[in-house]
Amino acid sequence: MCGIFGIVTQSKDLPVAKLIREGLQRLEYRGYDSAGIVMISDHKLHLKKDAGRINDINAKLHFDEMPGLIGMGHTRWATHGPPIAKNAHPHLDCTGKIAVIHNGILENFQQLRKELSARGHIFKSDTDTEAVSHLVEELIKKGLNLREAALEAIKCCEGAFGLVICAADHPDSIIVARRESPLVIGIDKARGAIYAASDIPAFLPLTRTALILNDNEMAELKPDQVDIYDLLTDKPVKRDSYEVEWSIDAAEKGGYPYFMLKELHEVPAKVKAQIHIPQSDIDAFAKAIIGASHFYITAAGTAYHACLAGKALFARFAKIFVKPILCSEFRDELRDCMKPNSVVIAVSQSGETLDTLEAVRYAREKYNAKVCSVVNVVGSSLTRYSDHVIITTAGPEIAVASQKAYNTQVSALCLIALRIAELQGQMPVDVSQKYREALNGVPAVLEKIRTEHEQKIKKLAEKYAKKPNFYFLARGASVAAAAEGALKFKEISYSHTEAYAAGESKHGPIALIVKDFPVIFVAPPDDTYERLIGNIMEMKARGATIIATVAEYDEKITELATDTIRIPHPKDEYYVNLSPLMYTYPLQIFAYYAAVHNGHDPDKPRNLAKSVTVK
Ligand code: M6R
């Protein structure tokens, strides 16, 4: 949450403020309540900030005209203080010479504000962050240089932070520091510039050479130099850079009206790439799981729904029961009852979701559990807390509503489940061969949905877009698709949606059914199909409108439904058993078109941010 982007250079040709503004726009998925930029020029800070989205603020304040070769900007997801201009970052000290931007939460902010106010500091915002600028001000007055002052100020801070600090009287560098909030450094030798950002897309069109800053580290960034220090010992740290594999255009819309549509269109190719990751990655992961006695899978939001699909696929192929636990509930649910020799599979797009990180830390530290992660971002915190990692092949996902990441996560979990079955000899070779063939055919099915069915799904979405309530029902492995379909629709189209295991719907939810209440069934022709028909009949009997996601060759449920979304997979049991990889995609498309029809920006849904780095 919150996007941070800073640049340090000596190249007079670089339009630094413009580059910061553009980088912030690429980070807007992290928060879009307010934005601001500060630049150092002529030993002065130049600050512009306001509430609202960067484009609108830029039209009023003209960020690009700001002078200077060193500067930093912020796009905010409000935590402390409402989303109004005074709470927009950067925050200055009393002298107006020190500026701070921050992602995270300073837990002791009330105490710090009290103490600093008592010492005469005047606060201009309601934020926790502003305390840091006043702390640095005091320490610089005592004679410390910017880095020393930042270090001492950070020692007073409790909680999570990605911080960037600059000062008018120290115009050659900026200081960055992190604890539990992401920060990555970009090195652009061609332009003679160093970048600091909360996520790689900020600088992806400028450089693909990156340096990871670990938790409890700070760095001083100069135009041609990065010095990293351990925050706890103040000792210098050596760190090698690495080349980011993501393509440069991945952070651009490329002619699409929204990132979400661009990313939805990428799904077939991304799933294909996932299915073809090196066998050695899958083997190491699978073997780590086989060695354990107890299995948990944890994540939040969409990634949690991938866990639900993973649970079903592990049971179906590997004959292993994996318990899904919401990462925010992990510690409470497992209090004192996690068994020795447990493995926790953590799933995350960003690898920075704080609840997920806390869950795996708890499992590791308290129970010595092995952590195996399925993560999209190389070098993210989760990858560093994990014994084994599979990197998903989604590439940067900019739309706040996750979609291609989900499809690659489910594909990765499916590969692992199949591999465990093969390694444990639970699946005859000819059967596993058939599954491999079907798996290789899945991207073509997804591609057909995109090319041949998208317009039909769009029409359907427009027909139902204004409905205020929906149920998404399914059984067995398809409950994950129902849950994800419901979440996607809710978060970008703002209707009230709920997902249930269809059999559970008669135990309460059915009370809401009145004439024309839309109920979306996820109905692949698997062993739940006949039982699902019973649930469809119960809903129909009470006047519900039935929309069903079915196989293209389906007849029975098609007869009962008002509308269908048809999945063009072959009539083949192997494809049917891989349904979790195919039946969610059309529901993501359905949600996208409903949101657009309702006039909402699907890339930036109300109140949300992509990477949730607060508890
Ligand atoms: O980065 P992560 O996958 O760990 O994020 C988990 C959730 O916050 C995320 O999936 C969220 O639910 C999205 N808004 C879903 O579209």
Side-chain angles (χ1 to χ4, degrees):
M1 340 205 78
C2 298
I4 285 177
F5 189 36
I7 300 184
V8 187
T9 185
Q10 274 174 339
S11 306
K12 297 215 164 56
D13 309 336
L14 277 189
V16 177
K18 176 172 176 277
L19 291 178
I20 293 176
R21 193 258 306 156
E22 289 170 349
L24 286 182
Q25 281 179 305
R26 286 190 288 276
L27 290 183
E28 233 181 342
Y29 61 84
R30 302 183 64 87
Y32 28 85
D33 290 331
S34 64
I37 291 179
V38 70
M39 300 293 300
I40 306 180
S41 175
D42 293 332
H43 288 270
K44 275 192 222 126
L45 294 185
H46 301 257
L47 173 70
K48 292 184 180 183
K49 60 180 191 174
D50 205 347
R53 295 189 176 184
I54 298 169
N55 250 340
D56 301 330
I57 304 173
N58 191 41
K60 263 193 306 187
L61 301 183
H62 310 289
F63 285 129
D64 298 6
E65 293 167 5
M66 296 174 78
L69 297 176
I70 291 190
M72 59 194 204
H74 186 272
T75 176
R76 178 171 188 245
W77 187 82
T79 58
H80 294 56
I84 52 177
K86 71 169 184 175
N87 292 328
H89 297 217
H91 291 288
L92 306 188
D93 69 323
C94 298
T95 66
K97 288 187 154 199
I98 293 151
V100 176
I101 55 179
H102 169 219
N103 168 27
I105 288 182
L106 299 183
E107 283 161 9
N108 59 336
F109 78 101
Q110 284 161 304
Q111 185 64 23
L112 289 175
R113 281 178 72 107
K114 255 187 222 151
E115 288 169 7
L116 286 156
S117 300
R119 297 202 289 270
H121 292 272
I122 310 289
F123 279 79
K124 297 189 196 74
S125 75
D126 310 316
T127 64
D128 48 346
T129 307
E130 194 183 340
V132 181
S133 42
H134 295 290
L135 282 170
V136 174
E137 173 194 349
E138 284 191 348
L139 292 155
I140 283 186
K141 274 192 187 143
K142 285 186 182 158
L144 273 59
N145 66 30
L146 182 61
R147 193 187 76 77
E148 293 162 346
L151 177 67
E152 292 307 312
I154 286 166
K155 284 185 187 161
C156 304
C157 296
E158 290 164 19
F161 52 80
L163 278 167
V164 189
I165 305 171
C166 70
D169 292 337
H170 298 257
D172 305 320
S173 65
I174 60 178
I175 303 297
V176 300
R178 71 163 286 190
R179 178 177 297 151
E180 291 183 1
S181 291
L183 251 183
V184 56
I185 296 167
I187 297 169
D188 185 352
K189 285 214 171 114
R191 292 178 185 79
I194 305 286
Y195 312 114
S198 29
D199 206 351
I200 288 163
F203 55 72
L204 195 55
L206 302 166
T207 183
R208 294 204 293 184
T209 306
L211 262 182
I212 287 169
L213 200 65
N214 285 335
D215 266 349
N216 290 311
E217 286 181 350
M218 75 185 314
E220 181 163 23
L221 312 185
K222 296 184 181 157
D224 51 1
Q225 197 177 323
V226 177
D227 296 314
I228 303 181
Y229 300 87
D230 186 307
L231 271 178
L232 307 175
T233 62
D234 198 23
K235 293 226 166 80
V237 175
K238 262 189 85 66
R239 177 80 25 84
D240 291 330
S241 62
Y242 72 101
E243 288 302 304
V244 175
E245 284 181 12
W246 290 349
S247 77
I248 284 168
D249 59 6
E252 308 288 355
K253 269 192 216 155
Y256 280 92
Y258 294 105
F259 275 110
M260 187 166 175
L261 186 60
K262 177 183 179 233
E263 293 169 359
L264 280 168
H265 281 189
E266 289 170 6
V267 166
K270 300 300 180 187
V271 167
K272 189 171 185 183
Q274 192 68 56
I275 288 167
H276 292 103
I277 61 170
Q279 187 61 41
S280 52
D281 291 3
I282 300 287
D283 280 2
F285 204 97
K287 282 177 189 157
I289 293 172
I290 290 171
S293 319
H294 305 275
F295 313 89
Y296 305 90
I297 185 162
T298 192
T302 289
Y304 177 71
H305 298 151
C307 295
L308 297 182
K311 173 190 90 165
L313 292 163
F314 271 73
R316 187 171 276 176
F317 298 132
K319 315 284 179 241
I320 290 177
F321 174 67
V322 182
K323 169 116 180 79
I325 303 183
L326 286 166
C327 51
S328 55
E329 288 291 312
F330 196 90
R331 175 186 291 248
D332 299 314
E333 208 165 310
L334 286 177
R335 193 178 298 277
D336 296 333
C337 50
M338 201 164 176
K339 302 274 189 312
N341 195 22
S342 288
V343 64
V344 178
I345 305 171
V347 181
S348 176
Q349 187 284 127
S350 61
E352 299 293 349
T353 300
L354 193 54
D355 288 331
T356 312
L357 298 178
E358 293 223 320
V360 301
R361 262 190 237 138
Y362 176 76
R364 272 182 91 99
E365 285 162 19
K366 186 142 192 232
Y367 296 98
N368 202 20
K370 198 177 283 171
V371 175
C372 296
S373 299
V374 176
V375 194
N376 197 37
V377 179
V378 177
S380 57
S381 300
L382 187 54
T383 63
R384 297 200 294 278
Y385 296 144
S386 304
D387 300 286
H388 296 275
V389 177
I390 283 184
I391 296 292
T392 45
T393 53
E397 192 182 60
I398 310 282
V400 166
S402 181
Q403 14 65 37
K404 60 176 176 165
Y406 174 88
N407 289 290
T408 54
Q409 286 159 354
V410 176
S411 307
L413 291 167
C414 181
L415 281 175
I416 299 159
L418 271 175
R419 189 62 186 142
I420 293 174
E422 289 168 352
L423 290 171
Q424 291 195 319
Q426 285 150 331
M427 197 179 259
V429 176
D430 59 325
V431 173
S432 108
Q433 190 55 37
K434 291 266 198 273
Y435 275 117
R436 295 276 161 193
E437 282 162 22
L439 198 55
N440 286 336
V442 163
V445 176
L446 298 172
E447 184 65 20
K448 218 167 167 197
I449 294 174
R450 184 182 81 76
T451 52
E452 293 174 20
H453 293 246
E454 185 177 319
Q455 290 313 310
K456 289 179 223 156
I457 298 171
K458 175 175 186 261
K459 274 208 184 113
L460 213 58
E462 289 168 355
K463 176 172 169 187
Y464 291 103
K466 300 278 181 224
K467 290 279 185 186
N469 298 292
F470 290 82
Y471 279 141
F472 286 69
L473 304 183
R475 280 177 178 263
S478 302
V479 169
E484 183 50 16
L487 176 68
K488 210 74 338 178
F489 204 94
K490 174 186 288 164
E491 68 181 339
I492 60 176
S493 200
Y494 307 149
S495 290
H496 172 242
T497 65
E498 279 186 276
Y500 281 96
E504 180 66 11
S505 62
K506 59 189 179 293
H507 295 288
I510 202 164
L512 291 191
I513 298 299
V514 288
K515 192 171 170 329
D516 298 335
F517 190 114
V519 183
I520 299 184
F521 281 88
V522 183
D526 62 11
D527 55 356
T528 66
Y529 185 85
E530 296 299 335
R531 281 175 287 149
L532 199 67
I533 289 179
N535 303 121
I536 292 175
M537 296 312 290
E538 289 153 14
M539 291 290 159
K540 255 181 96 74
R542 286 155 184 89
T545 299
I546 308 298
I547 305 150
T549 307
V550 292
E552 193 158 56
Y553 51 84
D554 180 82
E555 287 175 8
K556 269 181 160 174
I557 289 183
T558 303
E559 254 176 46
L560 302 173
T562 303
D563 285 298
T564 56
I565 296 173
R566 310 190 80 76
I567 312 298
H569 61 75
K571 197 169 181 180
D572 163 331
E573 65 177 290
Y574 302 100
Y575 275 91
V576 170
N577 282 332
L578 295 175
S579 64
L581 281 70
M582 292 172 284
Y583 279 65
T584 312
Y585 184 42
L587 297 178
Q588 296 171 331
I589 299 173
F590 182 73
Y592 167 81
Y593 280 112
V596 173
H597 186 72
N598 286 344
H600 305 312
D601 176 350
D603 285 350
K604 299 189 185 79
R606 188 170 65 205
N607 300 334
L608 295 180
K610 189 150 189 74
S611 175
V612 184
T613 53
V614 294
K615 281 177 208 170

